[in-house]
Amino acid sequence: MARIVGGMGTSHVPSVGVAYDRGKMQTPEWQPLYDMFLPVKEWLARIDPTIAIIVYNDHGTDLFFDKYPTFALGAADYYPQGDEGYGPRPLPPVRGDAEFSWHLSEQLVWNEFDLTVCQELAMDHGLLVPMNLCWDHRPDWPIKVVPLQINVLQHPLPTALRCWKLGQALRKAVEAYPKDERVLVIGTGGMSHQLNGERFGFMNENWDQQFLDWIEAEPERVAQMTHQELMEKGGAESVELIMWLTMRGALSPQVKRIDRGYYNPMTTGIALLTLEDAG
Amino acid sequence: MARIVGGMGTSHVPSVGVAYDRGKMQTPEWQPLYDMFLPVKEWLARIDPTIAIIVYNDHGTDLFFDKYPTFALGAADYYPQGDEGYGPRPLPPVRGDAEFSWHLSEQLVWNEFDLTVCQELAMDHGLLVPMNLCWDHRPDWPIKVVPLQINVLQHPLPTALRCWKLGQALRKAVEAYPKDERVLVIGTGGMSHQLNGERFGFMNENWDQQFLDWIEAEPERVAQMTHQELMEKGGAESVELIMWLTMRGALSPQVKRIDRGYYNPMTTGIALLTLEDAG
Amino acid sequence: MAQLEPNRPIDGTYVFDWRLSRKGYRLNKLAFSLSRAENRDAFKENEEAYFDRFDLSEEEKDLVRKRDFLGLIRHGTNIYMMLKLGAATGNGLYQMGAQQRGETYQEFLATRNVGSAT
Amino acid sequence: MAQLEPNRPIDGTYVFDWRLSRKGYRLNKLAFSLSRAENRDAFKENEEAYFDRFDLSEEEKDLVRKRDFLGLIRHGTNIYMMLKLGAATGNGLYQMGAQQRGETYQEFLATRNVGSAT
Ligand SMILES: [Fe+3]
Ligand SMILES: [Fe+3]
């Protein structure tokens, strides 16, 4: 039987991908982030997940506003990399597990989550940057991935509460899978940041730290927040934080915190939280 | 304030579109269908809807299995006609009401229905044939339309119960719209038919009549059925009937039946049911 | 609640679930492409060259070459996608249906209530 | 429950809701198209000709011509789509951000915790 072994919340900042590709993760600017993820790699080696469900969002890479899904689940054996405007990065395709994905889609759709199921889906920094921070892609990614895309671009977005419930349903769906898989759930996005308008560059570290407290110990408080409240506190683009709720909803009510980190060099709080499931 | 004035259930058989275009609706083969819709036109003139929400399904016309949505809502001011493999039919584009559609999308998404919102969506016989039977398209369609597409092609499909709940949420969403609109809800698809395999051509008139009884007076009985049960009783493609539940869920619990008809010339039970809302 | 019961198969029925959708993905992509007139023209002009756009296996090409509609369904072609393949090869729904039933077109029409309503 | 409060606007913030998405649809379509290398080439070669593919209004064309990123945002360009327009015109996120704030690039960098982490 498959089971969830842990959860991780982490931001997905595009410039980290650039620094990674250029071998600059140990320059003074990026060393704090590099160090933040050293214990994560040890933790991952210990809990040894076989599949990662990565809750992320597309950034105008594969999805367009002609047909914009609320929740899109990847159901393929591999996911190519999209082109974010600068040509592709030197990364292999992400490995999937179509059978596991389709199992999840059956459980979730029959449990009243109205997914868009994707047999073709191209990945962008929303998923790839967290992968870069967790795993080496050479010669190939060492883990299989299920991409779960959430609309955080075009309002109406799914509510924080809905994302939380999606996580809870995801846990049940994982536990109904007959094969022995050790599943890590990653929620990406945030923290405080705003990229549009005169308020560009807005950050709020106090709120980011509060969010990290709440998502660990009192996630229902975040689940009750509206998008308006999230944007006021953290900037328009910080609504991405609703994706952390899906991760947290998939974990046991009580969790054991392993690591927590925060670094905000430029326009976004780059956070990390790793949680072990109580089973 | 907008309100729902009535509901209609009807099949959407492609050959009816062909007969319509060729002016053959009054040949012996199609006269029974033509006659079935005469009182409908009188009824429509009486209740005078300003917008029709048409719950239909795409048949491989615009949507493909690369990214297949469970529920897709049109949010445009017009919807072009797709090409079903024979070139376009002589019909004008369907007129939409983007503002009303987007209102519905906000209400539904915030109420935990995970829509795919479509600013471009091409129509096929699933929506156009019911329109042909209700309205003359010359010189232009006399009504605005909100297309609501439901996955009945690629399992997992939304459950009958989920479609029923979608209808109930749709009613609330309509009633929250500030403008005075008189809304007709049409559920299309079915009745019994099967187009794949050695069981091609399967029909079950007894079940079709039973379904018509239940959808009017005991819709919860249909809402409890599984896709397996629906397919056993009515053929693989008769799962389209779940779309009638969205229409019925949007109406008042008690309804006044206006017309009911049934004709099964070839491979599908062609049914009609018109219901007036108790308000 | 589970909506399908794989242990209760329905005779002569191929439920288009994820297994079939995966299996037939390339065939469905080909069929879907035929909803564009220019693709239909290209297909009609040179079927073999058209196959190359979709990375079909030899078995899949053969199913199309033979207009083996039951075989196509069994291989995961979705019925609504197959309708476009029918349109491009001069096979309407009822012709494809008769073939799936193992009947001639006339035999099939004779089983209908109003066989002339085609 | 309503998630947005239009009566409580956030200063200097353009929430990408349906009104903006409708308004900016053509601009977003142009920007999205630039995720393909051949389209970027075509755009760079002849911007005016490229506009014609997207049925832009004269006002919309002008916003692109002037690289008026705040104007583009106000006109409904989604920030993530605009990043592709930035990439094709040599404007990174932080350049576009500085312009939206009404600052020079250097002024903007000076407001950051680690302005060299670009
Ligand atoms: Fe993001
Ligand atoms: Fe249909």
Side-chain angles (χ1 to χ4, degrees):
Chain A
M1 201 189 80
R3 65 191 181 88
I4 289 177
V5 294
M8 175 190 301
T10 176
S11 312
H12 57 227
V13 180
S15 51
V16 173
V18 179
Y20 183 90
D21 292 344
R22 295 184 182 164
K24 293 190 172 178
M25 288 301 285
Q26 287 180 275
T27 60
E29 292 83 4
W30 297 110
Q31 184 80 42
L33 183 68
Y34 182 86
D35 291 346
M36 203 156 94
F37 275 82
L38 285 178
V40 173
K41 292 181 183 179
E42 286 168 34
W43 177 64
L44 289 172
R46 181 162 60 76
I47 65 170
D48 190 27
T50 55
I51 297 183
I53 299 174
I54 305 187
V55 187
Y56 80 109
N57 73 283
D58 184 85
H59 299 78
T61 304
D62 192 355
L63 303 174
F64 185 63
F65 305 126
D66 58 338
K67 294 179 175 65
Y68 215 74
T70 297
F71 296 137
L73 183 76
D77 279 329
Y78 77 96
Y79 303 96
Q81 190 190 155
D83 181 335
E84 299 195 53
Y86 294 94
R89 296 174 53 201
L91 299 174
V94 170
R95 293 166 51 214
D97 182 337
E99 189 181 330
F100 181 63
S101 283
W102 278 109
H103 163 83
L104 296 177
S105 81
E106 280 192 345
Q107 298 293 313
L108 290 170
V109 171
W110 292 343
N111 196 14
E112 308 201 342
F113 288 86
D114 316 310
L115 306 178
T116 290
V117 180
C118 302
Q119 295 191 72
E120 296 192 45
L121 191 60
M123 299 296 106
D124 75 10
H125 74 270
L127 185 136
L128 294 169
V129 163
M131 287 195 73
N132 287 146
L133 291 168
C134 292
W135 297 284
D136 194 326
H137 63 271
R138 291 158 294 195
D140 198 359
W141 295 109
I143 192 158
K144 294 184 292 183
V145 167
V146 175
L148 174 49
Q149 204 280 150
I150 294 189
N151 171 22
V152 294
L153 260 63
Q154 179 185 253
H155 296 259
L157 317 179
T159 65
L161 185 61
R162 182 65 173 166
C163 293
W164 167 249
K165 291 180 183 175
L166 174 61
Q168 294 177 314
L170 195 56
R171 182 183 186 86
K172 283 189 203 147
V174 167
E175 290 176 347
Y177 193 59
K179 292 193 190 172
D180 285 328
E181 300 285 358
R182 304 167 56 77
V183 179
L184 174 73
V185 185
I186 302 181
T188 74
M191 313 279 286
S192 61
H193 68 304
Q194 175 152 338
L195 306 180
N196 80 70
E198 295 89 338
R199 200 185 183 215
F200 180 98
F202 177 83
M203 286 195 287
N204 182 349
E205 173 163 357
N206 285 343
W207 160 237
D208 287 345
Q209 296 292 355
Q210 169 100 88
F211 176 89
L212 290 170
D213 292 344
W214 283 358
I215 198 80
E216 177 187 333
E218 301 173 85
E220 276 103 342
R221 290 183 80 151
V222 191
Q224 293 303 329
M225 292 178 71
T226 65
H227 304 137
Q228 178 85 24
E229 290 166 338
L230 285 165
M231 292 191 295
E232 288 176 358
K233 278 189 191 291
E237 274 65 58
S238 77
V239 283
E240 289 187 346
L241 287 172
I242 62 176
M243 296 183 287
W244 290 49
L245 277 165
T246 302
M247 174 276 291
R248 187 63 185 86
L251 300 183
S252 48
Q254 299 298 320
V255 286
K256 182 180 166 195
R257 188 221 297 173
I258 306 297
D259 282 298
R260 173 170 163 170
Y262 185 82
Y263 179 53
N264 61 350
M266 280 292 294
T267 56
T268 309
I270 309 179
L272 162 76
L273 186 69
T274 50
L275 302 169
E276 225 160 277
D277 198 276
Chain B
M1 201 189 83
R3 65 190 181 89
I4 290 176
V5 294
M8 175 189 302
T10 175
S11 312
H12 58 225
V13 179
S15 51
V16 172
V18 179
Y20 184 90
D21 293 344
R22 296 185 180 163
K24 294 193 172 176
M25 289 302 286
Q26 287 180 274
T27 60
E29 292 83 4
W30 296 110
Q31 185 80 41
L33 183 67
Y34 182 85
D35 290 346
M36 201 154 93
F37 275 81
L38 285 179
V40 173
K41 291 179 182 181
E42 288 169 32
W43 178 65
L44 288 172
R46 182 162 60 76
I47 64 169
D48 191 26
T50 56
I51 297 183
I53 299 174
I54 306 188
V55 186
Y56 81 109
N57 73 283
D58 184 84
H59 299 79
T61 303
D62 191 355
L63 303 173
F64 185 62
F65 305 126
D66 58 338
K67 294 179 175 64
Y68 215 72
T70 298
F71 296 137
L73 183 77
D77 279 328
Y78 76 98
Y79 303 95
Q81 189 191 156
D83 180 334
E84 299 196 52
Y86 293 94
R89 297 175 50 202
L91 300 173
V94 171
R95 292 165 52 214
D97 182 335
E99 189 181 331
F100 180 63
S101 282
W102 278 108
H103 163 83
L104 297 177
S105 81
E106 280 192 344
Q107 298 294 312
L108 290 170
V109 171
W110 292 342
N111 196 14
E112 308 201 339
F113 289 86
D114 317 310
L115 306 177
T116 290
V117 179
C118 302
Q119 295 191 73
E120 296 191 46
L121 192 60
M123 299 294 106
D124 75 11
H125 73 269
L127 185 136
L128 294 169
V129 162
M131 287 194 73
N132 288 145
L133 291 169
C134 292
W135 296 285
D136 194 326
H137 63 272
R138 291 157 294 196
D140 198 359
W141 295 109
I143 191 158
K144 293 184 293 184
V145 167
V146 175
L148 175 49
Q149 203 280 149
I150 293 189
N151 171 23
V152 294
L153 260 62
Q154 179 186 251
H155 295 259
L157 316 180
T159 64
L161 184 61
R162 182 66 174 168
C163 294
W164 166 249
K165 291 181 183 176
L166 174 62
Q168 295 177 315
L170 195 57
R171 182 182 186 87
K172 283 190 204 151
V174 166
E175 291 177 346
Y177 193 60
K179 292 192 190 173
D180 286 327
E181 300 285 359
R182 301 168 57 80
V183 179
L184 174 73
V185 185
I186 302 182
T188 74
M191 313 281 288
S192 60
H193 68 304
Q194 175 151 338
L195 306 180
N196 80 69
E198 295 89 339
R199 200 185 182 213
F200 181 98
F202 176 82
M203 285 195 288
N204 181 350
E205 173 161 359
N206 285 342
W207 161 237
D208 287 345
Q209 296 292 355
Q210 169 98 90
F211 176 89
L212 290 170
D213 292 344
W214 283 358
I215 198 80
E216 177 187 334
E218 301 172 86
E220 276 101 343
R221 290 182 81 151
V222 191
Q224 294 303 330
M225 291 180 71
T226 64
H227 304 138
Q228 177 85 23
E229 290 166 338
L230 285 165
M231 291 191 296
E232 286 175 0
K233 279 190 189 295
E237 274 65 57
S238 77
V239 282
E240 289 187 346
L241 286 172
I242 61 175
M243 296 183 286
W244 289 49
L245 276 165
T246 302
M247 173 275 290
R248 186 63 185 85
L251 300 183
S252 49
Q254 300 298 320
V255 286
K256 182 180 168 196
R257 189 218 299 173
I258 305 298
D259 281 300
R260 173 170 163 170
Y262 185 81
Y263 177 54
N264 61 351
M266 279 292 295
T267 55
T268 308
I270 309 180
L272 162 75
L273 187 69
T274 51
L275 303 169
E276 224 158 278
D277 198 276
Chain C
M1 186 186 170
Q3 296 290 309
L4 300 176
E5 299 178 47
N7 297 329
R8 218 166 90 184
I10 306 168
D11 265 2
T13 301
Y14 304 88
V15 176
F16 192 73
D17 67 358
W18 64 269
R19 290 172 193 85
L20 280 184
S21 188
R22 283 194 76 190
K23 188 175 179 183
Y25 195 77
R26 290 180 303 261
L27 280 168
N28 283 320
K29 205 161 184 172
L30 181 151
F32 181 68
S33 76
L34 299 174
S35 55
R36 297 178 73 114
E38 67 265 34
N39 291 339
R40 291 194 288 272
D41 292 343
F43 174 81
K44 287 175 192 170
E45 197 178 315
N46 188 341
E47 225 171 276
E48 295 295 324
Y50 200 73
F51 290 154
D52 293 339
R53 300 188 192 178
F54 298 92
D55 194 28
L56 299 192
S57 71
E58 203 49 39
E59 182 190 358
E60 289 166 341
K61 291 180 193 174
D62 243 30
L63 291 168
V64 180
R65 286 182 192 122
K66 291 179 181 161
R67 316 308 192 224
D68 177 358
F69 298 113
L70 186 58
L72 284 163
I73 287 287
R74 286 176 172 162
H75 198 86
T77 312
N78 177 273
I79 177 63
Y80 298 111
M81 301 298 168
M82 196 167 82
L83 283 174
K84 289 151 196 43
L85 194 57
T89 59
N91 292 278
L93 172 65
Y94 302 135
Q95 279 89 355
M96 293 191 284
Q99 195 201 88
Q100 289 185 77
R101 289 162 61 102
E103 295 172 349
T104 66
Y105 184 52
Q106 292 306 325
E107 282 168 351
F108 167 68
L109 290 183
T111 67
R112 302 294 99 187
N113 293 332
V114 186
S116 56
T118 55
Chain D
M1 184 184 171
Q3 296 288 310
L4 299 176
E5 299 178 47
N7 297 328
R8 216 164 94 184
I10 307 169
D11 265 2
T13 301
Y14 304 88
V15 176
F16 192 74
D17 66 359
W18 64 269
R19 289 171 193 85
L20 280 184
S21 189
R22 284 193 75 190
K23 188 174 180 183
Y25 195 78
R26 289 181 303 261
L27 279 169
N28 283 321
K29 206 162 183 172
L30 182 151
F32 181 68
S33 75
L34 299 174
S35 56
R36 296 178 73 114
E38 67 265 33
N39 291 339
R40 291 195 289 272
D41 291 345
F43 174 80
K44 288 175 192 171
E45 198 179 315
N46 188 341
E47 225 172 275
E48 295 295 324
Y50 199 73
F51 290 154
D52 293 340
R53 299 188 191 177
F54 298 91
D55 195 28
L56 300 191
S57 71
E58 203 49 40
E59 182 192 358
E60 289 166 341
K61 291 179 193 174
D62 243 30
L63 291 168
V64 180
R65 286 181 192 123
K66 292 177 180 161
R67 317 306 194 225
D68 178 358
F69 298 112
L70 186 58
L72 284 162
I73 287 287
R74 286 177 173 160
H75 199 86
T77 311
N78 178 274
I79 176 62
Y80 298 112
M81 301 298 169
M82 195 166 82
L83 284 173
K84 288 151 195 42
L85 194 57
T89 60
N91 292 278
L93 172 64
Y94 302 136
Q95 279 90 355
M96 292 192 285
Q99 194 200 88
Q100 290 184 77
R101 290 162 62 101
E103 296 173 345
T104 66
Y105 184 53
Q106 291 307 322
E107 282 168 354
F108 167 68
L109 290 183
T111 68
R112 302 295 99 187
N113 293 334
V114 185
S116 57
T118 56

